[in-house]
Amino acid sequence: MSPEYVVTFGRQAMETMMIVSAPMLLVALGVGLSVSLLQAITQINEATLSFLPKLIAVSFTLVTIGPWMLSLLTDYIARTLTSLPQAIAGG
């Protein structure tokens, strides 16, 4: 197993992780920002108020984008497992 293969494998793993996690993180960021803005405008200082909207939005995002995320992860795992014998053999 060459150092180039290890670096490529790590880079692909990081790219896949960022692509898969980005929709959930962006939705949580957007909902949290809008709830915080609403709290600042109305001067309601309740820390637990932003939890439920974020939970609902992230759950909805997971339900709608979940199949795409699963197919992306499945393709990555399949590529990794099929290239493993070649990497071990040094080809």
Side-chain angles (χ1 to χ4, degrees):
M1 191 177 302
S2 68
E4 292 83 16
Y5 177 77
V6 174
V7 170
T8 302
F9 175 73
R11 182 184 54 79
Q12 288 175 349
M14 293 294 284
E15 286 175 356
T16 303
M17 183 226 15
M18 289 187 331
I19 290 170
V20 167
S21 65
M24 306 288 276
L25 293 174
L26 290 175
V27 165
L29 177 70
V31 170
L33 185 64
S34 60
V35 168
S36 295
L37 185 63
L38 181 67
Q39 284 180 336
I41 290 172
T42 60
Q43 296 181 352
I44 299 173
N45 293 326
E46 182 62 36
T48 60
L49 185 62
S50 67
F51 180 72
L52 188 61
K54 272 196 252 184
L55 180 68
I56 292 170
V58 169
S59 298
F60 179 73
T61 304
L62 183 61
V63 167
T64 56
I65 299 179
W68 171 78
M69 293 167 59
L70 188 61
S71 70
L72 192 69
L73 289 172
T74 305
D75 292 342
Y76 172 73
I77 293 293
R79 279 189 321 230
T80 302
L81 291 178
T82 55
S83 69
L84 200 57
Q86 181 184 5
I88 292 172

